[in-house]
Amino acid sequence: LRLGAPSTSWSAVKAAFERNYECLGITCAEVGGIWDAASNSYFAAGAPCVDPKLYEPIAGYIPGSQVTDHNALDLDQEDFEHELNEEDGANFVAAKEIYELGGNSKSYAEFTVPPLAAPLAKGLRVTGATASGSEVTGYVYEDTAQSAVVLRVQYATSDSQANYVGCRVGGLEGYHRT
């Protein structure tokens, strides 16, 4: 796209404008589309774009994808510092566990399972039950080979930082472990 170009593409021009809506402070819904009154519908390729899903701002930045789990790394840092600043003496063992295993971010469960009949792809949604029978959903943490007997499942996270994950594990001690 440039002035004086011998040809242009409608979809490329439309997409270029739409990419700049956010910095212009406008939304797809506000701009709308190009309406054909004769057919009572939008012109071909003239429909309004769809506004991207908006996530909670993090320090004034609005992420383009769900990063609540990554953002919880600051809670691991807080717990790490807490263990190093214990009034009755620093707990270096606990601090090292938090450093190596985390707990607030990227929480996952590790299961011993019968040999898998087929490989499982990273990100595959899986559902199981808690000890009390409640349904719990997660995602396969890493590609897992056929016949593997260990399965890691990352807990599902929400878009809200206040309640992003229902389970915190890893190197956390009982006061934060849920």
Side-chain angles (χ1 to χ4, degrees):
L1 302 176
R2 70 183 196 302
L3 289 175
S7 66
T8 58
S9 160
W10 166 260
S11 59
V13 171
K14 183 175 183 279
F17 275 105
E18 291 169 351
R19 279 194 305 272
N20 289 285
Y21 286 177
E22 184 179 353
C23 64
L24 293 171
I26 58 177
T27 66
C28 294
E30 291 170 325
V31 173
I34 303 173
W35 187 256
D36 179 5
S39 67
N40 201 31
S41 65
Y42 290 104
F43 279 102
C49 60
V50 177
D51 289 309
K53 182 175 183 175
L54 297 179
Y55 294 92
E56 291 179 359
I58 300 169
Y61 168 76
I62 299 176
S65 62
Q66 185 194 61
V67 294
T68 48
D69 197 38
H70 301 289
N71 193 37
L73 187 61
D74 64 334
L75 298 174
D76 288 339
Q77 176 71 25
E78 179 182 5
D79 291 335
F80 176 76
E81 290 177 13
H82 171 79
E83 292 300 340
L84 292 177
N85 292 320
E86 285 290 308
E87 290 182 16
D88 30 317
N91 187 340
F92 292 106
V93 173
K96 182 179 179 187
E97 284 189 17
I98 293 168
Y99 178 79
E100 291 178 345
L101 303 174
N104 291 290
S105 62
K106 294 292 183 188
S107 294
Y108 68 88
E110 186 172 287
F111 302 98
T112 300
V113 296
L116 295 175
L120 299 176
K122 177 181 178 175
L124 177 69
R125 182 181 170 155
V126 292
T127 304
T130 65
S132 64
S134 299
E135 185 176 283
V136 62
T137 300
Y139 300 90
V140 174
Y141 190 71
E142 59 199 355
D143 286 338
T144 308
Q146 180 177 342
S147 76
V149 294
V150 173
L151 177 63
R152 293 185 180 123
V153 177
Q154 184 175 351
Y155 295 105
T157 55
S158 76
D159 295 341
S160 169
Q161 195 64 47
N163 60 356
Y164 67 98
V165 69
C167 190
R168 294 170 181 86
V169 291
L172 300 178
E173 293 208 8
Y175 66 93
H176 266 169
R177 198 173 223 169
T178 56

